Amino acid sequence: KDGRLLTIHGPDAEISEDLSRYRQVIVLGVGKASARMAAAMENILEDELSGGFVLTKYGHGLSLRKIQVLEAGHPVPDENSLAGARRMAQMAGAADDSTLIINLISGGGSSLLCLPADPISLEDKRQTTDALLASGANIDEMNCIRKHLSKVKGGGLAKMASPARLINLILSDVIGDRIDTIASGITAPDPTTFADALSIVRKYALDDKLPQAVRDYLDQGNKGKIPETPKAGDPAFSNAVNII
């Protein structure tokens, strides 16, 4: 940071943000490294930082000056995962076009950030995670189902944050560094569909292992009664940038 100009160098992106354009600058984050990443952002932003919130794994939290830190369950989400996701969603949803959100994403984000679509419960989500882990489904297949049961995954957080300026700084723990896979792509377009999710359920014979509410929700989505996750070209992503 030089004066009020914040410059971020990524492998294939360099952006400069004039912080004087924004009424507030907030930091959000999720993942096992999010508290350490947030500590670094506090040091970089100093007085420009309005506040923030990050969600990390038990034992990975830090005491920060302006950014609130909550620890939650990983790899199986718990009540804090739900509370943390609600808090993050609320802060993203309250942001307007005079807000800059710097969002810090690292490994473990999929499990930590748990905000199931209505009427799916935390217990439903846990049972689904357990069934998927036991089935032998790969990470892409697991994420496809997770995205379609969530309010925040598969681009959901970006949709909530729009029209704020959203800069996502991402530590990749995924081979190939695909932004739609890291932390279930909370800020990336989702190329998968409800139909894909149902075909994975069939492939691994999960029909009788998943909670009724989950099966019903996927079925409703496949019939077009529930909106799809945001795809490439959705205006939700027009003011967002992802930097690995």
Side-chain angles (χ1 to χ4, degrees):
K1 185 165 75 74
D2 180 18
R4 300 202 73 185
L5 192 68
L6 178 69
T7 309
I8 300 171
H9 302 272
D12 35 39
E14 179 173 319
I15 52 177
S16 290
E17 291 289 331
D18 178 359
L19 299 180
S20 62
R21 286 182 50 224
Y22 298 102
R23 189 174 49 79
Q24 60 171 352
V25 179
I26 63 174
V27 167
L28 298 178
V30 62
K32 288 179 272 190
S34 63
R36 286 174 180 269
M37 293 168 82
M41 280 317 302
E42 279 198 339
N43 292 336
I44 293 163
L45 290 168
E46 298 174 316
D47 294 343
E48 300 286 353
L49 178 64
S50 310
F53 175 82
V54 299
L55 187 61
T56 193
K57 181 180 177 177
Y58 290 113
H60 289 59
L62 295 170
S63 179
L64 303 178
R65 295 189 300 279
K66 287 186 176 176
I67 299 169
Q68 185 191 353
V69 179
L70 181 67
E71 296 182 347
H74 177 279
V76 179
D78 63 6
E79 294 297 338
N80 275 10
S81 315
L82 202 56
R86 281 192 183 124
R87 176 85 178 115
M88 227 169 131
Q90 180 248 322
M91 288 180 75
D96 57 18
D97 56 9
S98 65
T99 303
L100 168 63
I101 300 174
I102 298 175
N103 187 33
L104 312 170
I105 301 173
S106 57
S110 288
S111 305
L112 287 162
L113 196 66
C114 180
L115 194 59
D118 304 321
I120 296 161
S121 69
L122 178 60
E123 189 49 44
D124 291 336
K125 196 81 186 286
R126 280 194 192 128
Q127 278 182 38
T128 303
T129 302
D130 288 343
L132 285 166
L133 287 168
S135 72
N138 67 34
I139 188 68
D140 282 346
E141 292 169 325
M142 287 183 64
N143 279 348
C144 170
I145 290 178
R146 281 167 161 172
K147 288 175 185 181
H148 284 89
L149 300 176
S150 173
K151 291 181 185 174
V152 282
K153 298 183 170 98
L157 191 78
K159 196 151 193 157
M160 288 174 182
S162 179
R165 173 64 165 153
L166 180 63
I167 299 174
N168 305 293
L169 303 180
I170 303 167
L171 286 185
S172 172
D173 63 338
V174 176
I175 293 166
D177 299 338
R178 284 186 17 226
I179 55 165
D180 63 308
T181 303
I182 304 160
S184 293
I186 56 175
T187 60
D190 176 24
T192 69
T193 63
F194 277 107
D196 294 331
L198 278 178
S199 69
I200 293 160
V201 170
R202 285 193 292 272
K203 177 180 173 182
Y204 294 100
L206 291 170
D207 249 332
D208 56 348
K209 297 186 178 72
L210 296 179
Q212 188 67 44
V214 166
R215 299 203 305 272
D216 290 347
Y217 190 83
L218 293 176
D219 200 40
Q220 295 280 314
N222 188 44
K223 289 175 178 161
K225 294 178 181 172
I226 293 163
E228 255 302 347
T229 48
K231 308 300 177 209
D234 191 296
F237 304 109
S238 61
N239 208 16
V241 59
N242 292 299
I243 299 177
I244 291 183

